[in-house]
Amino acid sequence: MHAFIRGLLAMAALVAAGVVSAAEAPHAVTGARTVNVWQAQALHQHEALFIDVRSPQYWRMGHIAGAVHLDLRGPFVALAQQQWPRDVPIVLYGDSELSSLSALASRLAVRWGYQEVYYFREGFFAWQLMDLPQAQARLELDGLSASVQPLSAPVGQVGCAPHASRSHGGHNPPGTCP
C-alpha cells in the first residue's frame, strides 16, 4: 500500500511540475528496453501485456488489439500494488515519440519493480501507420479492466471467459475480465 501511495504522490508531483505534457519523449528509459514498431509487433505476437497510458478519449478512438487501458493520469498507479506479478513482460505506449507519457509510465514501472519493461516510444501512431492489429473500445468496465473487440468483430461479442476471475484466487491481473 505504501508503494501505491508513493506512486500516487510521485504522479501528482510530476503532473504539477508539468513533466506530463506534450514534449518529445526521451530516446531511452533507464531500466526499460526501448523497442521500435517491429520489435513491438514481435512482443505482441509473443503475448506480452500491452498497456495504453493515453487518455480515455484516445483509447476509445483506437488502440493496439489486446491492449489494456490504464490512463497514466489515474488508474495506472494501481500497478504499484504488490498483488500484480512483476515478471510479466509489459509494453508501455502512448501516441508517438512526441508524447512523454509512455516514458514516464516506463520509469514508474521500473521503479515499482517490474522486471521486463518495454518502452514503445513510437507508440500507437506508428503501429497504426504499419496497419498492425487495432481495436476500438466497446465497453469499459472499470479503471483496471476493459473489454475490447477487434474492429472486424461483430458487435455484441465480449472477449471474457465466464469464470476468468476464479483462476487467480479472486484477484485479476490488470486488463483481465472480472
Side-chain angles (χ1 to χ4, degrees):
M1 187 62 158
H2 294 292
F4 176 75
I5 293 170
R6 282 194 308 268
L8 191 56
L9 292 173
M11 178 66 68
L14 291 169
V15 169
V19 173
V20 180
S21 64
E24 185 172 351
H27 291 278
V29 171
T30 303
R33 180 171 175 209
T34 303
V35 295
N36 64 31
V37 69
W38 303 117
Q39 292 166 320
Q41 180 189 30
L43 288 164
H44 191 264
Q45 291 170 340
H46 287 90
E47 299 183 3
L49 176 62
F50 276 65
I51 301 175
D52 186 320
V53 297
R54 301 175 301 155
S55 71
Q57 297 83 356
Y58 286 108
W59 164 262
R60 283 191 293 272
M61 287 190 283
H63 50 271
I64 294 173
V68 173
H69 181 235
L70 294 176
D71 184 350
L72 187 62
R73 293 177 182 96
F76 183 80
V77 297
L79 288 178
Q81 297 176 6
Q82 291 302 313
Q83 70 189 43
W84 308 121
R86 298 305 200 246
D87 59 349
V88 173
I90 58 174
V91 180
L92 298 149
Y93 75 92
D95 282 331
S96 71
E97 63 273 357
L98 297 179
S99 170
S100 60
L101 293 177
S102 58
L104 176 56
S106 297
R107 275 190 220 108
L108 289 170
V110 168
R111 183 181 304 155
W112 294 334
Y114 287 88
Q115 299 165 10
E116 284 190 70
V117 177
Y118 296 92
Y119 166 45
F120 182 21
R121 181 177 185 267
E122 297 170 346
F124 181 65
F125 293 163
W127 187 272
Q128 197 173 35
L129 184 64
M130 296 301 141
D131 199 27
L132 297 172
Q134 301 162 43
Q136 288 181 328
R138 300 283 188 222
L139 171 67
E140 290 189 36
L141 300 174
D142 61 35
L144 288 179
S145 62
S147 174
V148 298
Q149 297 178 17
L151 292 173
S152 60
V155 175
Q157 292 180 350
V158 178
C160 298
H163 301 289
S165 63
R166 293 185 188 159
S167 65
H168 297 287
H171 298 289
N172 292 314
T176 61
C177 299

